[in-house]
Amino acid sequence: MKLRLHGRYVLIILSLLVAIVVVNSGIYFFVSEKQTEQLKVRLTADTSERLQSQLEKKAIGIADYLVEALFNPLYYHNPEEAYYVIQAALSLDEVMSVYVVDERGNIFHDGTENLLAFGRKYQNKEGVFQVIEQAMPYTKIKGERFVLGRPVIAGNELVGGLFMEFSLADIYQDIQQMEDEIQALHREKYDQTLLSSVLLTGFLVIVGGACSVLIARSLTRPLRQLIAQTERIGDGDFSTFSSIDRQDEIGDLANAFNRMGLKLKQHTDEIYHQAHHDSLTGLPNRARFIEYLELLINQSDVTAFTVLFVDLDEFKCINDNYGHKVGDLLLCELASRMKESLGVENIVLPFFEENSPKPVVARIGGDEFLICLPDISTPDEIDSIVDGFFEVVRSPVAVGSDEVVVGGSVGIATYPHAGYSADELIKNADIAMYDAKASGKNTYSYFRLQMNEQIEIRADIERELRKSLALPEHFELWFQPQFRLTDKCLVGAEALVRWRHPERGLIAPDAFIPIAEETGLIIPIGDMLIENLCQQLKGWLPAISHDFYVAINLSAKQVYRHDLANVFSKRLHEYQIPARHVHVEITESFLMRDEQAAQAMLKELRKLGIQVWLDDFGTGFSSLSYLRHFQVDGLKIDRSFVADIESDQQDRALTSAIISMARQLHIPVVAEGIETFAQADFLQAEQCDFGQGFLFSEPRSAASFKSLYILDKQRA
C-alpha cells in the first residue's frame, strides 16, 4: 500500500509531537506559497516556450518540404499532384489545415479532394501580404493555432504561397495538466500543513520548524528535477527520463513527464518520416534520395554508381479506366516489386551498413521513381539488372477480374560520367528517360552528352522563330470548316497556324507554339495572324454569306495584353471587315489566371462585335462558374469527349449534359474532332449545333479552302 504525502506528513508530526506555532506556520505558508508559485510560473513559461519552439521547428521543416514539393504543381497548375503532396501533411495530428495560394493570393488548393475553397481569396490578408507581396516567411500564433506561411519560390520566380495551421491544443493541454497537478499538489500540501498546524500549534517550535524545512525541500527538489527535464525536452532530447522514484503525487507527475517526452519523440519521428518518405508507398522521397546520393558521393571509397529514372508508361490510362484507388494500389505493388527485384529489404534506414551502401528505391511523385545502384557502373551489370527489373515490373497485376500490364521507360546515368552532383545525375537520368520514351517506350536508354542536343534544338527553334518574325509569309493560316449538323451546311471555319520553314518545311503548331508562348514571341506572331486573317476575309467577302465566320485561337499572353481589342479594331477597320465574321476562341483555363483582366478584355472584344467562344469546354475545373461570371457567345466541346462517345457511357453523358446546358442558356455549341458518322449522328441527335473534324474535312490551306468552299459556293 502506497503511503501518500498526507500520511507521511502526519506520521512525522505525531512521532515528534511537535506543534508549529502560528507565527512559524505563517512564515512557512508564505514562503512555500511564493516558492511553489515561482516554480509553477517558471515551469509553465519554460515548457510553453520550448514546446512551441519545438513545434515551430517541426512546422518549418514540414513547410520547407511542402514548398519544394508544391512548386511544380503550382507552376504547371496541377491540383491533383498538389493534393497528394498536401495529404502527407494533413495526415499528421498537429496539422489543422493546409492552404496553397497562387501569386494573386487566391486559394489554389485547400487540401480537400473537391477543392471547396478553390479560387477564393485567402482570408489572412496580413499573411498574404507578407508571403506573396514581400516573399517573406510568416508566422503567428492565434489562440490555439500556430499559423505558418512560406512563399513557394524557385530562383527568382514566385508562383504562390503555402499557409499551414498547426494545433497548439495538445501543448496547452499538457501544460494545463501539469499546472493542475502542481496546483493540486500545492493545495494538498497546504491543507495538510494547515491541519497539522492547528492541532499542534505552540509545541516544539524549533523541531516543528526544522521538520517543515525538510518537507519543503522534499517537495521542491523533484520539481527542480522536472524543470531540468523540461529544458532537455525543449532542446530536443526526448529520450531523457526522470529518475524520481516516489509513490506519491510527485512520482505520478514525474511519470507524466516521462510519458510526455515519449509521445513527443514519437510525433517527431513521424513528422521526420513523413517529410522524407512517400506517404503512399513508404519509399524515400526526392529529398531523401538526394541526401543518399550526396552521402554516397562524399564516401571516399565510392568510385562509381548508377542512377535509374523510371517513368511508368501510360499510367494515366490506368487511373482513367480503373480509378485512382486502383492506381494507388498498383503503385504500391510495383514499388514492392522494384524492391524485390533489387533485393532491397529495408529502404528507410540505415542507408549504410558496415560501410556497405545499399540499393535505394524512391518515389518522387506520380508514376516516377528513382533507383540508385551503388558499386554498379558497367553496361553489362546495368543491362542485366534493368532486364531483370523489366521482367518483374511487366508481370501482370490482377485488377478485379482483369489483368493489367504496366511498362516503363528507364533513363540511366552513371557516376561520374553523367554528373558529379546528385541534382546533375537526376537531371541527366531524366533526360535519358525521355529519350527512352521517344524510342517507343517500355525500354531504357543511357545518358549521352549528345542528348543535350535536344536543348540546342529548342534554342534553334527560338532563333528561327525570331528570324521568321521579319518574314510574315513564313506563318500561314490553314482553315478547317465547321458545318451545321442538321443540314451539313457550311457556317464557318477555324483558323489554325502553320510555320513554313524554308529548310524544314511545314511545321505543326505543337512544335513551336509552346516555345513561342514561353519566350513571348506569340505576341508578334499573333498580331501577324490577326492581320493575315483579315486579309483572307477581305478576299472572301464577295462570296461568303452574311453569317459566315472564322474563329481564331488566342493564347494566354494575348488574352492578358492591354491592347488586344485595339489590335483587332485596327485590322478590322483597315481591311473593312465586319466584326461578325470574326470569332475568337479562348481556353477556359486562361481565364483562371486573372478573372478581372480577362473579363475586361472579353467585354472590349464583344463591344467591337467579335464573338467570344469558350474552347476545350469541360476540361477545366470551374466551367459552370465561368459561364456565370463571363459572357460568352458559344461553347466548343473538347475533342477528348467526342473521341470516345461511341464506347464510353460517361463521355456520352457528359457531352449530352454540356449540350443540354448550353441549349438552356441559348448558347450555340461546336463539337470538334468528329471522325466517324456514329459520332456525328449522336451529336446531331443531342441537338449539337455545329461540328468540325476529319469526317468533314482536314485543315486546308487558304487556297485549297477557297477553291473547295468559297468559289464552289459562289458558282453554286
Side-chain angles (χ1 to χ4, degrees), residues 458 462 465-466 469 512-527 555 557-558 561:
R458 184 192 180 285
E462 181 180 344
L465 277 175
R466 294 185 185 278
L469 288 178
F512 67 91
I513 288 297
I515 298 175
E517 280 275 5
E518 294 175 15
T519 59
L521 297 176
I522 194 66
I523 297 297
I525 293 174
D527 290 349
S555 71
K557 283 187 167 59
Q558 287 177 289
R561 61 182 295 186

Side-chain angles (χ1 to χ4, degrees), residues 187-484:
R187 176 53 57 188
E188 184 174 354
K189 169 183 164 296
Y190 182 92
D191 293 340
Q192 293 166 1
T193 305
L194 179 61
L195 177 61
S196 300
S197 297
V198 171
L199 296 175
L200 302 176
T201 298
F203 185 76
L204 297 176
V205 175
I206 296 176
V207 176
C211 292
S212 298
V213 171
L214 292 175
I215 293 174
R217 288 180 179 178
S218 70
L219 293 174
T220 57
R221 185 181 298 112
L223 291 177
R224 291 193 182 96
Q225 293 178 7
L226 291 177
I227 290 175
Q229 181 183 356
T230 302
E231 291 175 348
R232 292 193 295 272
I233 291 175
D235 291 336
D237 183 10
F238 301 115
S239 61
T240 181
F241 285 94
S242 171
S243 60
I244 299 173
D245 184 16
R246 296 177 58 150
Q247 303 299 317
D248 56 18
E249 291 83 351
I250 292 181
D252 294 341
L253 182 60
N255 292 333
F257 266 77
N258 291 336
R259 290 194 298 271
M260 180 180 68
L262 183 60
K263 289 180 181 179
L264 286 173
K265 185 179 186 304
Q266 292 173 345
H267 292 330
T268 301
D269 292 343
E270 290 175 2
I271 292 173
Y272 182 83
H273 187 275
Q274 291 291 341
H276 291 81
H277 293 81
D278 174 48
S279 61
L280 177 64
T281 63
L283 296 173
N285 59 16
R286 186 186 188 92
R288 188 66 165 155
F289 188 82
I290 290 175
E291 178 184 341
Y292 172 75
L293 291 186
E294 290 173 346
L295 288 172
L296 203 59
I297 292 171
N298 292 329
Q299 290 287 311
S300 59
D301 57 342
V302 173
T303 59
F305 61 86
T306 300
V307 174
L308 308 182
F309 196 114
V310 181
D311 184 272
L312 302 180
D313 295 327
E314 308 300 340
F315 188 77
K316 182 178 183 299
C317 296
I318 303 295
N319 284 332
D320 292 342
N321 293 332
Y322 298 98
H324 289 279
K325 184 176 181 180
V326 171
D328 289 346
L329 293 174
L330 186 59
L331 286 173
C332 292
E333 172 63 22
L334 293 176
S336 177
R337 290 185 179 185
M338 290 181 194
K339 291 187 293 181
E340 181 181 353
S341 70
L342 298 172
V344 178
E345 297 180 359
N346 181 6
I347 45 74
V348 181
L349 284 173
F351 279 146
F352 297 89
E353 291 182 357
E354 299 179 354
N355 296 322
S356 176
K358 297 290 185 180
V360 171
V361 181
R363 179 175 178 241
I364 61 174
D367 54 0
E368 294 180 336
F369 296 83
L370 285 170
I371 299 173
C372 181
L373 305 173
D375 299 327
I376 295 177
S377 60
T378 65
D380 290 341
E381 291 177 313
I382 297 172
D383 291 348
S384 176
I385 290 177
V386 174
D387 288 340
F389 168 82
F390 273 128
E391 183 177 349
V392 171
V393 171
R394 291 172 184 164
S395 300
V397 179
V399 177
S401 59
D402 298 334
E403 285 190 339
V404 176
V405 178
V406 178
S409 299
V410 179
I412 303 171
T414 59
Y415 172 85
H417 306 294
Y420 293 95
S421 68
D423 289 335
E424 189 177 8
L425 287 167
I426 293 173
K427 180 197 73 173
N428 290 337
D430 191 12
I431 292 174
M433 182 273 293
Y434 278 105
D435 182 73
K437 282 190 177 293
S439 300
K441 300 182 179 181
N442 208 24
T443 185
Y444 61 92
S445 177
Y446 287 85
F447 173 77
R448 305 179 304 278
L449 293 177
Q450 294 85 345
M451 291 180 179
N452 287 322
E453 293 178 0
Q454 298 174 354
I455 300 175
E456 295 177 2
I457 290 173
R458 184 192 180 285
D460 288 341
I461 291 177
E462 181 180 344
R463 284 193 296 270
E464 294 296 324
L465 277 175
R466 294 185 185 278
K467 292 179 182 179
S468 294
L469 288 178
L471 301 168
E473 63 272 14
H474 283 189
F475 296 100
E476 301 178 4
L477 282 179
W478 286 46
F479 300 87
Q480 186 172 33
Q482 295 178 352
F483 297 90
R484 189 164 45 241

